[in-house]
Amino acid sequence: MSRLAEKSIILGVTGGIAAYKTCDLTRQLIQAGACVRVVMTRAATSFVAPLTFQALSGNPVHLDLLDTEEESAMGHISLARWADLVLIAPATADFIAKLRLGLAGELLGAICLAAEVPIVLAPAMNRAMWSNPATQENVASLSARGVRLLGPADGAQACGESGLGRMMEPTDLCRAVEEFFADKTLDGHSVLVSAGPTREPIDPVRYLTNRSSGKMGYALAQAAINAGAKVTLVSGPVFLAPPKEATLVNVETAADMFEVVTGLAPQHDIYIGTAAVADYTPAAVAEGKIKKHHEALDIRLTRTRDILAAVARLPKKPFTVGFAAETDHLESYAREKLERKGLDMVAANRVGQSQGGFDSDENALWVVWPGGELQLPMASKQQIATQLIELISDNYRAKNST
Ligand code: CTP
Protein backbone atom coordinates (compact mmCIF):
# COMPACT_ATOMS: atom_id res chain seq x y z
CA MET A 1 0.00 0.00 0.00
CA SER A 2 1.26 3.49 -0.84
CA ARG A 3 2.39 5.63 2.07
CA LEU A 4 0.09 8.32 0.68
CA ALA A 5 -3.04 6.24 1.28
CA GLU A 6 -5.59 8.35 3.18
CA LYS A 7 -3.13 11.19 3.73
CA SER A 8 -4.69 14.67 3.58
CA ILE A 9 -2.69 16.99 1.37
CA ILE A 10 -3.28 20.67 0.69
CA LEU A 11 -1.91 21.32 -2.76
CA GLY A 12 -1.19 25.03 -3.09
CA VAL A 13 -0.92 26.31 -6.65
CA THR A 14 0.66 29.71 -7.27
CA GLY A 15 0.87 31.72 -10.49
CA GLY A 16 3.51 30.14 -12.71
CA ILE A 17 3.38 28.35 -16.04
CA ALA A 18 4.45 25.11 -14.30
CA ALA A 19 0.90 25.05 -12.86
CA TYR A 20 -0.08 22.95 -15.88
CA LYS A 21 2.19 20.18 -14.55
CA THR A 22 0.38 20.36 -11.20
CA CYS A 23 -2.69 18.91 -12.94
CA ASP A 24 -0.75 15.69 -13.50
CA LEU A 25 0.67 15.88 -9.97
CA THR A 26 -2.89 16.08 -8.57
CA ARG A 27 -3.86 13.00 -10.58
CA GLN A 28 -0.80 11.08 -9.35
CA LEU A 29 -1.39 11.99 -5.68
CA ILE A 30 -5.01 10.88 -5.98
CA GLN A 31 -3.96 7.65 -7.69
CA ALA A 32 -1.54 6.97 -4.81
CA GLY A 33 -4.52 7.18 -2.43
CA ALA A 34 -4.09 10.72 -1.04
CA CYS A 35 -7.01 13.03 -0.33
CA VAL A 36 -6.18 16.33 -2.05
CA ARG A 37 -7.68 19.79 -1.56
CA VAL A 38 -6.36 22.37 -4.01
CA VAL A 39 -5.88 25.96 -2.89
CA MET A 40 -5.10 28.42 -5.69
CA THR A 41 -3.82 31.97 -5.60
CA ARG A 42 -5.61 34.45 -7.88
CA ALA A 43 -2.57 34.52 -10.21
CA ALA A 44 -2.68 30.72 -10.54
CA THR A 45 -6.19 30.88 -12.01
CA SER A 46 -4.75 32.75 -15.03
CA PHE A 47 -2.82 29.58 -15.90
CA VAL A 48 -5.25 26.77 -15.06
CA ALA A 49 -9.00 26.97 -14.46
CA PRO A 50 -10.10 25.95 -10.93
CA LEU A 51 -12.60 23.57 -12.53
CA THR A 52 -9.70 21.47 -13.85
CA PHE A 53 -8.36 20.94 -10.32
CA GLN A 54 -11.85 20.36 -8.98
CA ALA A 55 -12.38 17.56 -11.52
CA LEU A 56 -8.94 16.02 -10.87
CA SER A 57 -9.03 16.20 -7.07
CA GLY A 58 -12.73 15.42 -6.65
CA ASN A 59 -12.97 18.31 -4.16
CA PRO A 60 -13.99 21.97 -4.48
CA VAL A 61 -11.08 24.31 -5.12
CA HIS A 62 -10.41 26.93 -2.43
CA LEU A 63 -9.68 30.43 -3.70
CA ASP A 64 -10.63 33.28 -1.39
CA LEU A 65 -9.74 34.11 2.16
CA LEU A 66 -12.77 36.32 2.61
CA ASP A 67 -15.36 34.24 0.80
CA THR A 68 -17.90 34.02 3.61
CA GLU A 69 -19.58 30.91 2.26
CA GLU A 70 -16.31 29.10 1.88
CA GLU A 71 -14.97 30.43 5.18
CA SER A 72 -17.92 29.03 7.04
CA ALA A 73 -17.62 25.70 5.22
CA MET A 74 -13.87 25.30 5.60
CA GLY A 75 -11.83 28.36 6.44
CA HIS A 76 -8.07 28.75 6.52
CA ILE A 77 -7.79 27.40 10.07
CA SER A 78 -9.93 24.34 9.36
CA LEU A 79 -7.98 23.66 6.16
CA ALA A 80 -4.67 23.98 8.01
CA ARG A 81 -5.91 21.53 10.71
CA TRP A 82 -7.31 19.10 8.14
CA ALA A 83 -3.96 18.67 6.35
CA ASP A 84 -1.18 16.18 7.06
CA LEU A 85 1.06 18.14 4.69
CA VAL A 86 0.98 21.40 2.71
CA LEU A 87 2.63 21.07 -0.71
CA ILE A 88 3.03 24.19 -2.85
CA ALA A 89 3.70 23.41 -6.50
CA PRO A 90 4.62 25.52 -8.29
CA ALA A 91 5.98 27.93 -5.67
CA THR A 92 6.77 31.23 -7.42
CA ALA A 93 9.50 33.66 -6.32
CA ASP A 94 6.72 36.05 -5.23
CA PHE A 95 4.97 33.44 -3.08
CA ILE A 96 8.28 32.32 -1.50
CA ALA A 97 9.02 35.95 -0.57
CA LYS A 98 5.53 36.34 0.95
CA LEU A 99 5.89 33.10 2.88
CA ARG A 100 9.16 34.28 4.37
CA LEU A 101 7.48 37.45 5.57
CA GLY A 102 4.47 35.57 6.90
CA LEU A 103 2.02 37.52 4.75
CA ALA A 104 -1.52 36.21 5.05
CA GLY A 105 -3.44 38.44 2.63
CA GLU A 106 -4.38 35.48 0.44
CA LEU A 107 -5.91 32.17 1.52
CA LEU A 108 -2.80 30.08 0.78
CA GLY A 109 -0.52 32.40 2.80
CA ALA A 110 -2.99 32.31 5.72
CA ILE A 111 -3.09 28.49 5.62
CA CYS A 112 0.72 28.30 5.66
CA LEU A 113 0.86 30.64 8.63
CA ALA A 114 -1.71 28.57 10.53
CA ALA A 115 -0.25 25.18 9.53
CA GLU A 116 1.39 23.04 12.21
CA VAL A 117 2.24 20.31 9.70
CA PRO A 118 5.22 20.17 7.29
CA ILE A 119 5.24 22.71 4.45
CA VAL A 120 6.96 21.61 1.25
CA LEU A 121 7.81 23.91 -1.66
CA ALA A 122 8.44 22.93 -5.27
CA PRO A 123 9.91 26.18 -6.64
CA ALA A 124 9.49 27.10 -10.31
CA MET A 125 10.86 30.25 -11.85
CA ASN A 126 13.36 31.68 -14.33
CA ARG A 127 16.96 30.65 -13.52
CA ALA A 128 18.09 34.23 -12.81
CA MET A 129 15.12 34.78 -10.48
CA TRP A 130 16.06 31.57 -8.64
CA SER A 131 19.74 32.48 -8.26
CA ASN A 132 18.98 36.09 -7.29
CA PRO A 133 20.24 36.71 -3.73
CA ALA A 134 16.75 37.88 -2.72
CA THR A 135 15.25 34.48 -3.54
CA GLN A 136 18.24 32.58 -2.16
CA GLU A 137 17.99 34.46 1.15
CA ASN A 138 14.27 33.78 1.32
CA VAL A 139 14.79 30.08 0.65
CA ALA A 140 17.63 29.81 3.18
CA SER A 141 15.53 31.52 5.84
CA LEU A 142 12.52 29.26 5.16
CA SER A 143 14.75 26.13 5.20
CA ALA A 144 16.14 27.21 8.57
CA ARG A 145 12.55 27.36 9.82
CA GLY A 146 11.93 23.78 8.67
CA VAL A 147 10.16 24.42 5.36
CA ARG A 148 11.26 21.65 2.99
CA LEU A 149 12.29 22.22 -0.62
CA LEU A 150 11.88 19.82 -3.51
CA GLY A 151 13.94 21.05 -6.45
CA PRO A 152 14.08 23.15 -8.49
CA ALA A 153 15.35 21.01 -11.35
CA ASP A 154 17.78 21.98 -14.10
CA GLY A 155 16.84 22.24 -17.77
CA ALA A 156 14.90 24.10 -20.45
CA GLN A 157 12.54 26.79 -19.17
CA ALA A 158 9.26 28.12 -20.56
CA CYS A 159 10.91 31.55 -21.07
CA GLY A 160 13.35 30.00 -23.57
CA GLU A 161 16.34 30.04 -21.22
CA SER A 162 17.93 27.03 -19.59
CA GLY A 163 19.15 26.45 -16.05
CA LEU A 164 18.13 25.75 -12.47
CA GLY A 165 14.53 26.79 -11.86
CA ARG A 166 12.23 24.21 -13.48
CA MET A 167 9.62 22.61 -11.27
CA MET A 168 10.47 18.97 -10.52
CA GLU A 169 8.52 16.48 -12.62
CA PRO A 170 5.19 15.31 -11.12
CA THR A 171 6.38 11.68 -10.79
CA ASP A 172 9.49 12.77 -8.84
CA LEU A 173 7.44 15.15 -6.68
CA CYS A 174 4.87 12.46 -5.91
CA ARG A 175 7.62 10.00 -4.91
CA ALA A 176 9.38 12.60 -2.76
CA VAL A 177 6.11 13.49 -0.99
CA GLU A 178 5.56 9.79 -0.33
CA GLU A 179 8.96 9.74 1.40
CA PHE A 180 7.76 12.34 3.91
CA PHE A 181 5.42 9.73 5.27
CA ALA A 182 8.13 7.06 5.56
CA ASP A 183 8.44 5.42 8.98
CA LYS A 184 11.15 7.19 10.95
CA THR A 185 12.85 3.93 11.86
CA LEU A 186 16.29 5.54 12.16
CA ASP A 187 15.21 8.51 14.29
CA GLY A 188 18.03 9.42 16.66
CA HIS A 189 20.60 7.31 14.79
CA SER A 190 23.57 8.30 12.68
CA VAL A 191 24.51 6.82 9.32
CA LEU A 192 27.81 7.18 7.44
CA VAL A 193 27.63 6.54 3.69
CA SER A 194 30.56 6.39 1.26
CA ALA A 195 29.68 6.97 -2.39
CA GLY A 196 31.04 7.47 -5.88
CA PRO A 197 34.37 6.53 -7.41
CA THR A 198 37.86 7.47 -6.25
CA ARG A 199 40.50 9.10 -8.45
CA GLU A 200 44.06 7.79 -8.27
CA PRO A 201 46.50 10.31 -9.79
CA ILE A 202 49.11 9.14 -12.33
CA ASP A 203 50.57 12.60 -12.99
CA PRO A 204 49.24 16.16 -12.54
CA VAL A 205 46.75 15.77 -15.41
CA ARG A 206 45.74 12.09 -15.40
CA TYR A 207 44.11 9.66 -13.03
CA LEU A 208 42.68 6.14 -12.78
CA THR A 209 39.01 5.86 -11.88
CA ASN A 210 35.93 3.70 -12.53
CA ARG A 211 32.39 4.00 -13.85
CA SER A 212 30.58 4.65 -10.57
CA SER A 213 28.12 7.57 -10.79
CA GLY A 214 27.43 7.75 -7.03
CA LYS A 215 23.65 7.49 -7.63
CA MET A 216 23.12 4.47 -5.36
CA GLY A 217 25.07 6.01 -2.46
CA TYR A 218 23.33 9.38 -2.79
CA ALA A 219 19.91 7.65 -2.94
CA LEU A 220 20.80 5.69 0.22
CA ALA A 221 21.88 8.87 2.00
CA GLN A 222 18.51 10.45 1.12
CA ALA A 223 16.57 7.33 2.15
CA ALA A 224 18.39 7.27 5.51
CA ILE A 225 17.51 10.96 6.03
CA ASN A 226 13.88 10.18 5.17
CA ALA A 227 13.99 7.44 7.81
CA GLY A 228 15.02 10.05 10.37
CA ALA A 229 18.80 9.46 10.49
CA LYS A 230 21.54 12.05 10.79
CA VAL A 231 23.66 11.34 7.71
CA THR A 232 27.30 11.97 6.82
CA LEU A 233 28.10 11.42 3.15
CA VAL A 234 31.74 10.84 2.18
CA SER A 235 31.83 11.25 -1.56
CA GLY A 236 34.33 10.77 -4.35
CA PRO A 237 33.99 13.10 -7.38
CA VAL A 238 30.47 12.86 -8.85
CA PHE A 239 28.05 15.11 -10.73
CA LEU A 240 25.16 14.92 -8.29
CA ALA A 241 23.55 17.37 -5.87
CA PRO A 242 23.90 15.96 -2.34
CA PRO A 243 20.82 15.70 -0.09
CA LYS A 244 20.45 19.10 1.62
CA GLU A 245 20.26 17.60 5.11
CA ALA A 246 23.43 15.49 4.77
CA THR A 247 26.85 16.55 6.04
CA LEU A 248 29.02 16.22 2.95
CA VAL A 249 32.75 15.43 3.01
CA ASN A 250 34.37 15.45 -0.44
CA VAL A 251 37.40 13.22 -1.03
CA GLU A 252 39.39 12.22 -4.07
CA THR A 253 41.69 9.26 -3.57
CA ALA A 254 41.19 5.87 -1.93
CA ALA A 255 43.76 6.89 0.69
CA ASP A 256 41.79 10.09 1.52
CA MET A 257 38.57 8.11 1.75
CA PHE A 258 40.25 5.57 4.06
CA GLU A 259 41.38 8.30 6.47
CA VAL A 260 38.04 10.14 6.50
CA VAL A 261 35.80 7.05 6.79
CA THR A 262 37.83 5.22 9.43
CA GLY A 263 38.05 8.50 11.39
CA LEU A 264 34.28 9.11 11.30
CA ALA A 265 33.00 5.52 11.57
CA PRO A 266 33.31 5.13 15.38
CA GLN A 267 30.96 8.12 15.84
CA HIS A 268 28.25 6.54 13.68
CA ASP A 269 25.76 3.74 14.33
CA ILE A 270 25.74 2.42 10.77
CA TYR A 271 28.28 2.46 7.93
CA ILE A 272 27.18 1.76 4.35
CA GLY A 273 30.11 1.41 1.94
CA THR A 274 28.72 1.97 -1.54
CA ALA A 275 31.85 3.70 -2.87
CA ALA A 276 33.58 2.01 -5.76
CA VAL A 277 37.01 2.39 -4.17
CA ALA A 278 39.95 1.83 -6.52
CA ASP A 279 41.58 -1.50 -5.63
CA TYR A 280 44.93 -0.32 -7.01
CA THR A 281 46.70 3.02 -7.13
CA PRO A 282 49.87 4.11 -8.98
CA ALA A 283 52.92 3.30 -6.84
CA ALA A 284 54.32 6.77 -7.58
CA VAL A 285 52.75 9.96 -8.93
CA ALA A 286 54.89 11.62 -11.62
CA GLU A 287 55.75 15.18 -10.66
CA GLY A 288 55.39 16.53 -14.19
CA LYS A 289 53.08 15.51 -17.01
CA ILE A 290 54.23 12.20 -18.52
CA LYS A 291 55.23 12.86 -22.17
CA LYS A 292 54.58 10.34 -24.95
CA HIS A 293 58.22 9.55 -25.67
CA HIS A 294 57.81 5.77 -25.68
CA GLU A 295 55.65 3.31 -27.62
CA ALA A 296 54.58 1.59 -24.42
CA LEU A 297 54.21 2.82 -20.87
CA ASP A 298 54.19 0.67 -17.76
CA ILE A 299 52.57 2.02 -14.62
CA ARG A 300 53.22 0.06 -11.45
CA LEU A 301 50.16 -0.21 -9.24
CA THR A 302 49.93 -1.13 -5.59
CA ARG A 303 46.91 -2.35 -3.62
CA THR A 304 44.85 0.21 -1.73
CA ARG A 305 43.75 -0.45 1.83
CA ASP A 306 40.30 -1.98 2.26
CA ILE A 307 38.13 0.64 4.00
CA LEU A 308 35.19 -1.67 4.62
CA ALA A 309 37.28 -4.40 6.24
CA ALA A 310 39.06 -1.76 8.35
CA VAL A 311 35.73 -0.35 9.59
CA ALA A 312 34.51 -3.86 10.43
CA ARG A 313 37.69 -4.40 12.54
CA LEU A 314 37.34 -1.16 14.54
CA PRO A 315 36.98 -1.68 18.31
CA LYS A 316 33.91 0.59 18.24
CA LYS A 317 32.49 -0.84 15.07
CA PRO A 318 29.27 0.50 13.52
CA PHE A 319 26.72 -1.87 11.93
CA THR A 320 28.68 -2.40 8.71
CA VAL A 321 27.11 -2.87 5.28
CA GLY A 322 29.20 -3.59 2.18
CA PHE A 323 28.38 -3.64 -1.49
CA ALA A 324 29.56 -6.17 -4.03
CA ALA A 325 29.53 -5.78 -7.78
CA GLU A 326 29.59 -9.18 -9.45
CA THR A 327 29.06 -10.52 -12.95
CA ASP A 328 28.11 -14.03 -11.75
CA HIS A 329 27.58 -16.24 -8.66
CA LEU A 330 26.05 -13.24 -6.87
CA GLU A 331 24.85 -14.98 -3.74
CA SER A 332 27.90 -17.15 -3.03
CA TYR A 333 30.37 -14.26 -3.61
CA ALA A 334 28.23 -11.99 -1.41
CA ARG A 335 28.18 -14.51 1.42
CA GLU A 336 31.91 -15.12 1.09
CA LYS A 337 32.50 -11.33 1.34
CA LEU A 338 30.22 -11.10 4.38
CA GLU A 339 32.26 -13.69 6.24
CA ARG A 340 35.75 -12.76 5.02
CA LYS A 341 35.37 -9.06 5.90
CA GLY A 342 33.33 -9.64 9.09
CA LEU A 343 30.35 -7.59 7.87
CA ASP A 344 26.77 -7.33 9.13
CA MET A 345 25.24 -7.20 5.65
CA VAL A 346 26.26 -7.32 1.98
CA ALA A 347 24.19 -5.95 -0.91
CA ALA A 348 25.27 -7.51 -4.18
CA ASN A 349 24.35 -6.20 -7.59
CA ARG A 350 24.92 -7.71 -10.98
CA VAL A 351 27.13 -5.62 -13.25
CA GLY A 352 28.00 -5.95 -16.93
CA GLN A 353 24.36 -6.19 -18.01
CA SER A 354 22.19 -3.74 -19.94
CA GLN A 355 19.94 -3.02 -16.91
CA GLY A 356 21.05 -1.89 -13.45
CA GLY A 357 24.50 -1.47 -11.90
CA PHE A 358 27.02 1.27 -12.69
CA ASP A 359 25.75 4.60 -13.96
CA SER A 360 22.18 3.29 -14.34
CA ASP A 361 19.07 4.83 -12.74
CA GLU A 362 17.86 1.38 -11.75
CA ASN A 363 19.23 -1.46 -9.71
CA ALA A 364 18.36 -4.90 -8.33
CA LEU A 365 20.07 -6.27 -5.22
CA TRP A 366 20.68 -9.59 -3.57
CA VAL A 367 21.07 -8.81 0.12
CA VAL A 368 22.64 -11.31 2.52
CA TRP A 369 23.27 -11.17 6.29
CA PRO A 370 24.16 -13.81 8.88
CA GLY A 371 21.18 -16.15 8.83
CA GLY A 372 19.13 -14.43 6.15
CA GLU A 373 18.83 -13.11 2.61
CA LEU A 374 16.40 -11.15 0.44
CA GLN A 375 16.20 -10.32 -3.22
CA LEU A 376 15.12 -6.77 -4.14
CA PRO A 377 13.88 -6.85 -7.74
CA MET A 378 14.80 -4.24 -10.37
CA ALA A 379 13.42 -0.81 -9.45
CA SER A 380 14.57 2.82 -9.43
CA LYS A 381 17.63 3.43 -7.25
CA GLN A 382 15.45 5.59 -4.97
CA GLN A 383 12.98 2.74 -4.42
CA ILE A 384 15.77 0.20 -3.91
CA ALA A 385 17.44 2.59 -1.45
CA THR A 386 14.23 2.93 0.59
CA GLN A 387 13.84 -0.86 0.75
CA LEU A 388 17.48 -1.41 1.67
CA ILE A 389 17.34 1.21 4.44
CA GLU A 390 14.27 -0.58 5.88
CA LEU A 391 16.15 -3.87 5.80
CA ILE A 392 19.26 -2.32 7.38
CA SER A 393 17.26 -0.71 10.18
CA ASP A 394 15.40 -4.00 10.91
CA ASN A 395 18.68 -5.92 11.14
CA TYR A 396 20.43 -3.15 13.06
CA ARG A 397 17.67 -3.16 15.69
CA ALA A 398 17.56 -6.96 15.82
CA LYS A 399 21.35 -7.06 16.42
CA ASN A 400 21.21 -4.40 19.13
CA SER A 401 18.29 -5.98 20.96
CA THR A 402 20.14 -9.28 21.44
N1 CTP B 1 35.83 -1.38 -0.59
C1 CTP B 1 36.51 -0.64 0.34
N2 CTP B 1 37.84 -0.36 0.17
C2 CTP B 1 38.50 -0.82 -0.90
C3 CTP B 1 37.82 -1.60 -1.85
C4 CTP B 1 36.50 -1.87 -1.66
O1 CTP B 1 35.90 -0.21 1.31
N3 CTP B 1 39.78 -0.51 -1.02
C5 CTP B 1 34.42 -1.69 -0.35
C6 CTP B 1 33.44 -1.08 -1.31
O2 CTP B 1 32.98 0.18 -0.85
C7 CTP B 1 32.32 -2.12 -1.34
C8 CTP B 1 33.06 -3.42 -1.09
O3 CTP B 1 34.28 -3.07 -0.47
O4 CTP B 1 31.45 -1.94 -0.25
C9 CTP B 1 33.40 -4.15 -2.34
O5 CTP B 1 34.20 -5.19 -1.93
P1 CTP B 1 35.39 -5.71 -2.82
O6 CTP B 1 35.97 -6.87 -2.10
O7 CTP B 1 36.30 -4.65 -3.27
O8 CTP B 1 34.53 -6.16 -3.99
P2 CTP B 1 34.95 -6.33 -5.43
O9 CTP B 1 35.53 -5.07 -5.99
O10 CTP B 1 33.74 -6.88 -6.07
O11 CTP B 1 36.13 -7.33 -5.20
P3 CTP B 1 36.54 -8.66 -5.91
O12 CTP B 1 35.82 -8.71 -7.21
O13 CTP B 1 38.00 -8.47 -6.03
O14 CTP B 1 36.10 -9.69 -4.93
Side-chain angles (χ1 to χ4, degrees), residues 324-331 333 348-353 358:
E326 308 289 355
T327 50
D328 46 72
H329 302 105
L330 230 63
E331 196 206 343
Y333 281 143
N349 60 312
R350 208 179 283 282
V351 287
Q353 293 195 323
F358 282 145

Side-chain angles (χ1 to χ4, degrees), residues 2-64:
S2 162
R3 291 195 179 105
L4 287 175
E6 291 169 25
K7 291 288 183 277
S8 302
I9 296 177
I10 289 197
L11 182 54
V13 187
T14 70
I17 180 61
Y20 83 90
K21 291 205 269 184
T22 310
C23 298
D24 190 26
L25 175 61
T26 312
R27 194 185 56 79
Q28 292 197 32
L29 291 169
I30 294 284
Q31 262 178 0
C35 187
V36 177
R37 283 187 174 269
V38 176
V39 178
M40 299 178 81
T41 62
R42 275 288 150 203
T45 61
S46 303
F47 292 91
V48 179
L51 200 56
T52 307
F53 284 117
Q54 181 172 318
L56 289 168
S57 68
N59 279 317
V61 171
H62 304 267
L63 295 166
D64 291 314

Side-chain angles (χ1 to χ4, degrees), residues 194 254 271-279 304-309 321-326 336-337 340-341:
S194 72
Y271 171 61
I272 312 174
T274 72
V277 187
D279 290 323
T304 56
R305 287 191 288 173
D306 195 310
I307 304 168
L308 190 61
V321 183
F323 264 69
E326 308 289 355
E336 180 273 329
K337 201 156 287 179
R340 177 167 47 87
K341 296 198 187 187

Side-chain angles (χ1 to χ4, degrees), residues 162-317:
S162 180
L164 209 58
R166 277 171 66 88
M167 188 170 92
M168 266 170 69
E169 292 306 314
T171 309
D172 298 330
L173 281 175
C174 192
R175 190 168 52 213
V177 170
E178 207 178 328
E179 292 304 333
F180 281 104
F181 296 106
D183 295 336
K184 303 288 180 216
T185 50
L186 290 177
D187 223 353
H189 294 285
S190 54
V191 176
L192 178 65
V193 180
S194 72
T198 62
R199 277 182 187 168
E200 309 304 317
I202 297 170
D203 69 11
V205 293
R206 303 179 179 97
Y207 52 78
L208 291 175
T209 191
N210 59 59
R211 285 180 52 194
S212 166
S213 64
K215 286 177 188 165
M216 194 65 231
Y218 276 51
L220 277 163
Q222 184 64 64
I225 289 166
N226 295 341
K230 194 169 157 296
V231 171
T232 310
L233 177 59
V234 179
S235 177
V238 294
F239 299 94
L240 297 172
K244 288 192 183 70
E245 301 88 341
T247 303
L248 178 69
V249 185
N250 286 310
V251 295
E252 228 173 275
T253 64
D256 291 344
M257 193 176 270
F258 185 96
E259 292 308 324
V260 172
V261 169
T262 53
L264 290 171
Q267 298 128 52
H268 289 78
D269 300 311
I270 297 170
Y271 171 61
I272 312 174
T274 72
V277 187
D279 290 323
Y280 291 91
T281 189
V285 183
E287 257 178 48
K289 183 181 164 198
I290 300 172
K291 304 295 284 179
K292 50 181 176 297
H293 293 317
H294 305 286
E295 275 308 307
L297 175 69
D298 290 325
I299 299 173
R300 201 177 122 70
L301 303 176
T302 55
R303 275 284 288 274
T304 56
R305 287 191 288 173
D306 195 310
I307 304 168
L308 190 61
V311 169
R313 280 197 306 267
L314 287 169
K316 195 169 175 299
K317 163 198 164 186

